[in-house]
């Protein structure tokens, strides 16, 4: 048997590396996350939107950053010879959509989206090549309070999915502040964005490799020391009026316990212009849970007039692993609690009609479709995840009753047909 | 101005032809459809799942049919040299997933999914290259009652989205029946599947072109006449015990008004083996709304052991156009009904805190983020789709009250802070 199974498995066409099959158990978690994202987004007055999954390569070439565009994106020519990219992120699409209807839209836009993205990276724990992301953005408002709304939404999301402020934190910085500080160290122009990259890699490189990389960029010992001192200064935010207002607005919205300043947060993408933030698990066992920030030049970069924007994106993979690791994985099956059996051939139509009647009353009902032995049907009901099984035999039909068996307790009783839907609604509520 | 706008538009990076931007109004319709699909699927005890959007080319080569695989699918090599296809349909993925866990799964599987698909076709009304599909399948049960459950689900979906039996019909046939009938005309073997293709194209070709095509396939005059007679015989189903049982089960589930026999329904895909069906608008103004059927050989074809299956797929594009044309387009905005203004700088924190309090009570609330003139804020609230606007000035704060302005009636009144959430919940219910 075992050898037979192996022989069969060997012939099965394999899934593409880095993709994920969502069997119902995994899909229930993804859909649960999507529903929580919807709930939080809508509670703050954000509207759902979506862009295409295929975009022109030029869209990303505009601003996404060399690594993402040149190394990680899926690019190919379609049958018409057009150069297509599977979207590696949503923000450039958002910028394109805003630019396309720039004069017709009412600002600020508060928009959110959930969908698939692709990056050709080495698959590993917490990273797949095909993954899902929640994106949420406010477009058309440039203020610390707008940034704070997004950070508050992020905190509200963490809370909604069951992560406490002791388990996950949102770390915030501001690129304008960092730019001013770097300038006072004599780091400006093209070198500044290289040094932003260096700061972003602080946690990813060893101390030696990091120092080495700094020297390669041309930083002298005093500058390296200056940068390191900067990254250790937890009070740096007090120099920024923008961050002061940001933290006041976060506090007013009850999210202060989730949000704190962190001078090493800078983000990898090129297009951020002001506030930036990332969420991390406090135990430090996972990659960043999500990140975002202000990007005021992107609509302009894709051909529109300048319009300020702020937003963030949350992938589904790391967060699912984190919830699992912390014991917060949701208990979701989505299965129908009611199972209608078929007593005999003559009763088939009556059983199908009973299931139809209960569905019309808003209940979730699985129908057995042939007159198997009742024990077999009970077993199948149990494996399907049902809580109660209904039996409609000739006696029940004659008396206008239905037998209701509770699969957990084993109790069985008769309920009148007229009261059945109401009784079962109580049960599955 | 107009010239300026054109100049700007010309610089905006364009969307890929055949894709669709889902601005919030369009997205609301897509999400509304997805929610209805979820509701119907779950009411019949089906669980949500999803496959990858990227699959190996071989998966479709196995059975999807030459047109879909060779002409319409997006195929490319990834950075690792693997030949990838953007999924043009879900059924082969379902078959692969079942084959991969064949011994661990509990049958019958009742699974559904909603997501994107790609086909490189000429974009036209009702057809985009990137589109969304609801797929719903039962795997592991081979009976007319299983087929009838799927047809009943299809009917239930049409009803749920507001299409009456006078507006849309599900037309059913059976390939085994047609095969037997064709055999009695001397049409068998490879010719049979060519003639299935000919039948599928009856509505798409002119009468002359259709006759011509039949001759090309080698059918003689008697055979052509026989086929035509077959396609006019609305009582043919009575010859099939399977279809008799199918219609009895559909009737028992109250769906008979939506489902009827139609001898010309055969479906284009190669893998169907028994019952086949398509939904059409009765006015005949659109392409098929959806289609499906029984496919008992597909799991085997992708490398698993044989397992019977039946299912159907509904695209989002035609159905959205049809709902629009018939005046059934849903009224959905998903916008927050409550808008909290900011009276002055000193009141900013209090207004943000008020919005937070209402969100915690489950309400959908948009926050204004700076102390603009109240008239400007009211106008912005109105454009954002809000129903009521809240004002929290120094007087209101002192008295622990909130001013509530109804944007439709213009009425304004004071409500105590303690009762506010309860009052507003009534309003937005």
């Amino acid at each position: 048997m075992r050898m037979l199974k192996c022989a069969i498995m060997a012939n099965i066409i394999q899934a593409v590396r880095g993709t994920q099959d969502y069997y119902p158990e995994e899909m229930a978690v993804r859909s649960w996350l999507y529903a929580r994202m919807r709930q939080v987004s809508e509670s703050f007055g954000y509207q759902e939107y979506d862009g295409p999954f295929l975009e022109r390569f030029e869209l990303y070439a505009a601003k996404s950053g060399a690594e993402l565009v040149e190394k990680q994106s899926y690019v190919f020519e379609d049958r018409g010879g057009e150069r297509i990219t599977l979207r590696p992120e949503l923000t450039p699409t958002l910028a394109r959509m805003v630019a396309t209807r720039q004069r017709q839209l009412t600002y600020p836009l508060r928009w959110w989206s959930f969908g698939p993205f692709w990056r050709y990276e080495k698959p590993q724990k917490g990273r797949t090549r095909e993954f899902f992301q929640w994106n949420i953005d406010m477009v058309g408002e440039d203020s610390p309070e707008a940034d704070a709304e997004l950070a508050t939404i992020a905190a509200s999301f963490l809370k909604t999915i069951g992560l406490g402020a002791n388990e996950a934190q949102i770390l915030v910085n501001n690129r304008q502040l960092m730019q001013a500080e770097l300038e006072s160290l004599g780091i400006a122009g093209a070198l500044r964005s290289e040094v932003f990259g260096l700061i972003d890699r602080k946690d990813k490189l060893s101390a030696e490799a990091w120092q080495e990389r700094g020297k390669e960029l041309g930083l002298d010992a005093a500058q390296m020391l200056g940068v390191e001192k900067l990254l250790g200064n937890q009070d740096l935010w007090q120099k920024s009026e923008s961050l002061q207002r940001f933290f006041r607005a976060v506090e007013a919205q009850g999210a202060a316990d989730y949000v704190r300043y962190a001078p090493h947060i800078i983000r990898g993408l090129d297009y951020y212009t002001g506030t930036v933030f990332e969420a991390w698990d406090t135990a430090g066992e996972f990659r960043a849970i999500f990140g975002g920030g202000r990007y005021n030049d992107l609509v302009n970069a894709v051909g529109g007039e300048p319009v300020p924007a702020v937003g963030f994106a949350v992938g589904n993979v790391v967060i699912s692993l984190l919830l699992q690791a912390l014991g917060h994985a949701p208990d979701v099956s989505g299965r129908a609690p009611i199972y209608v059996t078929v007593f005999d051939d003559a009763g088939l139509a009556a059983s199908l009609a009973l299931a139809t009647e209960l569905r019309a009353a808003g209940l979730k009902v699985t129908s057995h479709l042939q007159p198997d032995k009742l024990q077999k049907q009970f077993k199948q009901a149990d494996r399907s995840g049902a809580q109660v099984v209904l039996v409609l035999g000739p006696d029940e039909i004659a008396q206008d009753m239905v037998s209701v068996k509770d699969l957990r307790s084993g109790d069985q009783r008769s309920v009148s047909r007229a009261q059945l839907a109401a009784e079962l609604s109580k049960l599955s509520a």
Side-chain angles (χ1 to χ4, degrees), chain A:
Chain A
M1 263 316 274
R2 207 178 151 72
M3 281 191 60
L4 174 65
K5 194 180 162 187
C6 289
I8 287 169
M9 284 297 292
N11 287 328
I12 296 170
I13 294 169
Q14 299 296 299
V16 173
R17 187 166 140 81
T19 64
Q20 191 180 343
D21 287 342
Y22 287 89
Y23 286 88
E25 313 83 65
E26 292 105 32
M27 189 62 196
V29 175
R30 189 176 111 195
S31 285
W32 177 86
L33 276 173
Y34 185 11
R36 298 292 84 69
M37 290 159 180
R38 175 183 301 282
Q39 181 192 328
V40 172
S41 303
E42 290 185 349
S43 82
F44 282 82
Y46 285 64
Q47 293 182 283
E48 192 179 15
Y49 77 106
D50 201 1
F53 305 147
L54 310 185
E55 291 276 12
R56 287 167 193 257
F57 179 74
E58 305 94 89
L59 183 65
Y60 305 99
K63 271 272 180 172
S64 286
E67 193 184 7
L68 195 61
V69 178
E70 287 158 27
K71 295 192 189 146
Q72 298 176 352
S73 56
Y74 283 82
V75 185
F76 63 94
E77 281 197 3
D78 71 14
R79 288 171 191 264
E82 190 153 15
R83 203 166 173 214
I84 307 287
T85 302
L86 299 184
R87 64 181 191 184
E89 56 157 341
L90 188 58
T91 316
T93 297
L94 170 62
R96 180 182 62 68
M97 286 174 66
V98 171
T100 304
R101 293 200 188 169
Q102 193 139 23
R103 307 282 173 93
Q104 296 103 290
L105 297 167
T106 304
Y107 302 91
L109 306 175
R110 285 179 161 96
W111 283 7
W112 71 279
S113 187
F114 178 79
F117 296 86
W118 295 267
R119 292 184 192 173
Y120 192 81
E121 297 182 277
K122 196 174 161 61
Q124 59 188 62
K125 184 184 163 196
R127 184 192 280 164
T128 52
R129 288 179 176 170
E130 177 174 271
F131 58 96
F132 289 78
Q133 246 186 18
W134 174 38
N135 278 261
I136 182 161
D137 295 85
M138 192 193 311
V139 177
E141 193 138 328
D142 186 8
S143 72
E145 288 74 25
D147 301 350
E149 179 165 301
L150 272 295
T152 302
I153 290 169
S156 179
F157 172 68
L158 292 175
K159 200 171 177 178
T160 300
I161 61 171
L163 292 173
N166 60 328
E167 294 171 317
Q169 285 279 304
I170 297 158
L171 310 182
V172 183
N173 200 359
N174 186 303
R175 282 194 170 189
Q176 306 264 1
L177 170 64
M178 295 305 280
Q179 181 174 334
E181 292 297 313
L182 291 180
E183 263 164 27
S184 74
L185 292 171
I187 298 166
L191 182 59
R192 187 226 309 149
S193 83
E194 295 280 10
V195 173
F196 276 178
L198 183 68
I199 293 173
D200 188 50
R201 258 166 239 125
K202 184 91 158 77
D203 292 339
K204 293 163 196 159
L205 299 176
S206 69
E208 296 74 29
W210 193 75
Q211 291 287 346
E212 195 50 46
R213 179 80 189 118
K215 273 183 216 156
E216 279 169 30
L217 292 177
L219 301 187
D220 61 29
Q223 286 174 321
M224 282 304 286
L225 210 65
V227 172
E228 281 187 272
K229 207 173 149 198
L230 216 52
L231 299 187
N233 183 359
Q234 303 295 328
D235 296 323
L236 194 63
W237 65 277
Q238 293 173 353
K239 284 189 172 180
S240 158
E241 200 219 321
S242 172
L243 281 173
Q244 287 178 28
R245 279 172 58 187
F246 171 89
F247 281 110
R248 273 201 297 275
V250 166
E251 167 96 44
Q253 291 172 96
D257 50 342
Y258 279 95
V259 185
R260 64 183 175 81
Y261 180 70
H264 67 282
I265 297 299
I266 204 83
R267 303 289 297 143
L269 292 166
D270 287 349
Y271 51 61
Y272 291 113
T273 56
T275 304
V276 283
F277 56 90
E278 286 177 0
W280 288 84
D281 69 304
T282 50
E285 299 193 354
F286 289 87
R287 310 168 59 210
I289 308 174
F290 58 78
R294 173 160 293 284
Y295 54 99
N296 285 351
D297 299 333
L298 193 59
V299 174
N300 189 227
V302 302
E305 298 166 73
V307 54
V310 58
F312 66 89
V314 183
N316 70 322
V317 181
V318 171
I319 207 123
S320 300
L321 290 175
L322 179 61
L323 287 173
Q324 215 164 25
L326 294 174
H328 298 315
D331 179 24
V332 278
S333 80
R335 294 182 148 196
I338 299 157
Y339 196 98
V340 179
T341 57
V342 176
F343 192 82
D344 54 20
D345 256 326
L348 174 62
S351 281
L352 292 176
L354 174 63
T356 303
E357 188 182 308
L358 296 174
R359 287 183 194 117
L363 294 165
K364 297 177 184 172
V365 186
T366 305
S367 283
H368 201 82
L369 297 174
Q370 59 199 37
D372 292 311
K373 280 187 185 154
L374 276 184
Q375 279 313 317
K376 184 185 166 190
Q377 296 190 54
F378 288 172
K379 208 170 155 188
Q380 200 158 315
D382 192 35
R383 286 192 306 201
S384 84
Q387 295 166 38
V388 296
V389 177
L390 308 188
V391 181
L392 192 64
D395 293 351
E396 283 90 355
I397 292 175
Q399 297 164 35
D400 216 20
M401 305 288 278
V402 177
S403 284
V404 179
K405 184 184 169 77
D406 186 314
L407 281 172
R408 285 168 302 187
S409 67
D411 293 347
Q412 186 159 342
R413 65 208 174 85
S414 281
V415 177
S416 85
R417 186 82 176 244
Q419 289 173 318
L420 185 64
E423 287 261 344
L424 293 175
S425 299
K426 267 183 274 173
L427 174 144
S428 59

